[in-house]
Amino acid sequence: MTIYDELRARGLIAQITDEEEVKELINSGKATFYIGFDPTADSLHVGHFMALCLMKRLQMAGNRPIALVGGGTGMVGDPSGRTDMRSMMTVETIQHNCECFKKQMSKFIDFSEGKALMLNNADWLLKLNYIELLREVGPCFSVNNMLRAECYKQRMEKGLSFLEFNYMIMQSYDFYHMFQTVGCNMQCGGDDQWSNMLGGTELIRRKLGKDAYAMTINLLLTSDGKKMGKTQAGAVWLDPEKTSPYDFYQYWRNISDADVLKCLRMLTFLPLEQIDEMDHWEGAQLNQAKEILAFELTKLVHSEEEAQKAQDAARALFAQGGDKSNMPSTTLTGGDFSDGAIGLLDLMVKCGLTASKSEARRLVQQGGVEINGTKITDATALLPADQFTGEGVMIKKGKKVFHRAVSG
């Protein structure tokens, strides 16, 4: 099976220009392609995960990826999928985020010996002269066509700033610049980027008279229609300081039955034949498939050792006397107790399970909190300090979030 056929079989390709040419390009390992990452946080999240996996797959087939960090476009802000304007970031914040990205990307992409590049579009966008840019690329863009683009249409009712309106031109210019300077001949991204990506291929063809290609990958949605990686608590991060390996594992372990095979195909590097055999799995076997998914993805992001620890901790929840040492935990000090006890609401906030005591109170009153297997509905409950010795107190939030609190 060629790499192109595999991408199709895994359900990754959404839209593509010049299919036969792209097929030949990536199958022969001649693609130098880029994917852009806006540095809006100091960590990549699960929403970036599919793009990183695609870059890894294509690199393994001999193609050269370019990880383009949007230090320049990050100062404009991508309106795609937004209902309001992004907050403006400082140059220092953007640079810090870019440095964090490279460290995380190196787990997926081999940057040695020119096998991949990591570039920052601030290096060329911030040097542009506005009038020169208008004269050079302005005639290649039709405002009528831009306004018909999905990324702009959804913002027209609430208001689209001229700042954001320039984003398509900036992204297109990135492709145009890298085509000429580093031989980038293809761009990839999520299918919400299709309009912006077409702008780049059109700019190259009109200005240079040469062929350039674009391919978008399917955005992975959960069965309830939400984008992958979104939870009630926010995003699922790749940084272990933001989302622990255990919580990362649990996110995938608790994915819906309808999504597990789709995620196995799109995100893991398991052979398709092995995944196809799981098509007929039901009941307890589906839980086994979820364990496989969670283990493989945690191993990819955090290491096999961390994946094993997370799996052992997750299994310990359902085994009497199991090892719970690798479960997310919080150590309480003497200052956390008053008169030899801590309030349940204070405990929830201290453990990071809720952002505030009012949120904790609502959760308790709605029956969403268990302590050591017993549901607690009294928001004024106090837990004595001696309960936190030994294995400590096991807190269950909702149906799937577990946390251990121990005394130091």
Side-chain angles (χ1 to χ4, degrees):
M1 181 181 288
T2 66
I3 181 61
Y4 184 84
D5 291 337
E6 182 176 355
L7 295 181
R8 281 287 189 200
R10 289 183 180 274
L12 288 169
I13 298 178
Q15 299 180 87
I16 194 166
T17 65
D18 313 283
E19 182 173 21
E20 290 305 314
E21 289 83 352
V22 170
K23 185 187 299 186
E24 170 62 27
L25 196 67
I26 65 175
N27 285 344
S28 60
K30 295 178 181 177
T32 295
F33 67 98
Y34 93 91
I35 296 181
F37 299 84
D38 277 340
T40 52
D42 60 1
S43 171
L44 297 167
H45 53 71
V46 167
H48 297 116
F49 197 52
M50 189 182 297
L52 293 169
C53 290
L54 177 70
M55 296 174 86
K56 184 177 177 71
R57 291 184 203 281
L58 288 174
Q59 186 180 51
M60 289 168 63
N63 300 285
R64 184 171 70 150
I66 299 172
L68 180 65
V69 181
T73 42
M75 294 186 174
V76 176
D78 183 2
S80 300
R82 300 284 298 184
T83 58
D84 54 6
M85 192 168 124
R86 296 179 189 270
S87 59
M88 302 293 284
M89 295 185 293
T90 65
V91 174
E92 292 75 20
T93 298
I94 290 172
Q95 182 58 37
H96 170 72
N97 293 350
C98 290
E99 291 168 359
C100 294
F101 278 18
K102 185 168 186 179
K103 182 179 179 181
Q104 292 179 345
M105 288 177 180
S106 296
K107 294 183 178 181
F108 295 83
I109 304 163
D110 181 3
F111 288 100
S112 67
E113 302 173 0
K115 294 179 181 177
L117 297 174
M118 184 167 188
L119 303 177
N120 185 338
N121 61 17
D123 294 340
W124 56 85
L125 292 182
L126 299 188
K127 298 174 184 176
L128 289 175
N129 177 287
Y130 186 59
I131 298 300
E132 289 178 3
L133 175 68
L134 287 178
R135 288 178 61 84
E136 183 177 10
V137 306
C140 299
F141 288 87
S142 161
V143 171
N144 289 10
N145 288 339
M146 291 174 72
L147 291 175
R148 283 194 288 269
E150 205 59 44
C151 60
Y152 292 142
K153 280 168 61 178
Q154 60 190 0
R155 287 291 306 281
M156 292 303 289
E157 289 185 10
K158 289 204 170 186
L160 176 71
S161 72
F162 183 70
L163 176 71
E164 296 171 291
F165 190 61
N166 278 270
Y167 191 89
M168 180 185 291
I169 296 174
M170 296 294 97
Q171 182 171 329
S172 300
Y173 189 88
D174 285 341
F175 193 18
Y176 175 64
H177 174 84
M178 290 186 291
F179 184 93
Q180 297 178 88
T181 56
V182 293
C184 181
N185 52 21
M186 188 171 77
Q187 56 184 329
C188 301
D191 56 15
D192 60 335
Q193 292 291 310
W194 186 238
S195 299
N196 291 339
M197 293 166 69
L198 289 180
T201 57
E202 182 65 15
L203 177 59
I204 291 170
R205 294 179 183 188
R206 290 188 62 177
K207 289 291 294 182
L208 304 176
K210 296 182 179 180
D211 288 329
Y213 309 102
M215 178 172 71
T216 64
I217 53 179
N218 280 309
L219 289 176
L220 185 54
L221 304 178
T222 58
S223 58
D224 62 1
K226 295 179 181 177
K227 284 188 179 181
M228 176 181 62
K230 296 292 185 182
T231 69
Q232 287 184 341
V236 177
W237 303 97
L238 305 192
D239 183 347
E241 296 299 318
K242 289 178 173 289
T243 299
S244 71
Y246 173 83
D247 287 332
F248 187 86
Y249 178 95
Q250 282 293 79
Y251 172 77
W252 298 107
R253 174 61 182 83
N254 292 319
I255 205 161
S256 71
D257 293 355
D259 293 323
V260 60
L261 287 176
K262 181 169 60 175
C263 290
L264 279 165
R265 288 192 176 94
M266 287 182 159
L267 299 175
T268 75
F269 288 79
L270 295 174
L272 281 167
E273 295 81 3
Q274 181 180 346
I275 299 171
D276 289 342
E277 289 177 3
M278 303 179 195
D279 260 333
H280 307 295
W281 286 12
E282 296 178 352
Q285 284 185 308
L286 268 182
N287 287 329
Q288 183 184 344
K290 292 178 186 181
E291 279 200 341
I292 293 170
L293 173 69
F295 185 88
E296 289 297 319
L297 298 190
T298 307
K299 179 175 72 172
L300 189 60
V301 173
H302 296 295
S303 80
E304 185 165 4
E305 180 183 2
E306 291 297 332
Q308 191 62 59
K309 287 180 181 178
Q311 187 171 79
D312 291 345
R315 288 175 173 175
L317 291 171
F318 305 100
Q320 196 67 261
D323 180 12
K324 301 178 177 66
S325 61
N326 294 310
M327 192 176 302
S329 64
T330 298
T331 300
L332 305 180
T333 64
D336 293 315
F337 298 95
S338 177
D339 296 327
I342 184 173
L344 176 58
L345 305 186
D346 290 318
L347 179 64
M348 297 288 289
V349 174
K350 175 70 177 179
C351 292
L353 294 170
T354 59
S356 65
K357 290 173 69 171
S358 59
E359 180 186 343
R361 182 179 291 104
R362 286 194 298 273
L363 192 64
V364 170
Q365 291 172 342
Q366 291 166 2
V369 176
E370 290 183 11
I371 298 294
N372 292 335
T374 302
K375 184 176 292 186
I376 307 295
T377 56
D378 179 7
T380 65
L382 297 173
L383 285 78
D386 58 12
Q387 271 194 254
F388 295 87
T389 58
E391 285 199 351
V393 169
M394 184 65 61
I395 310 163
K396 182 181 179 183
K397 171 188 169 184
K399 294 181 179 180
K400 301 174 181 178
V401 177
F402 294 84
H403 197 94
R404 194 165 62 102
V406 297
S407 58

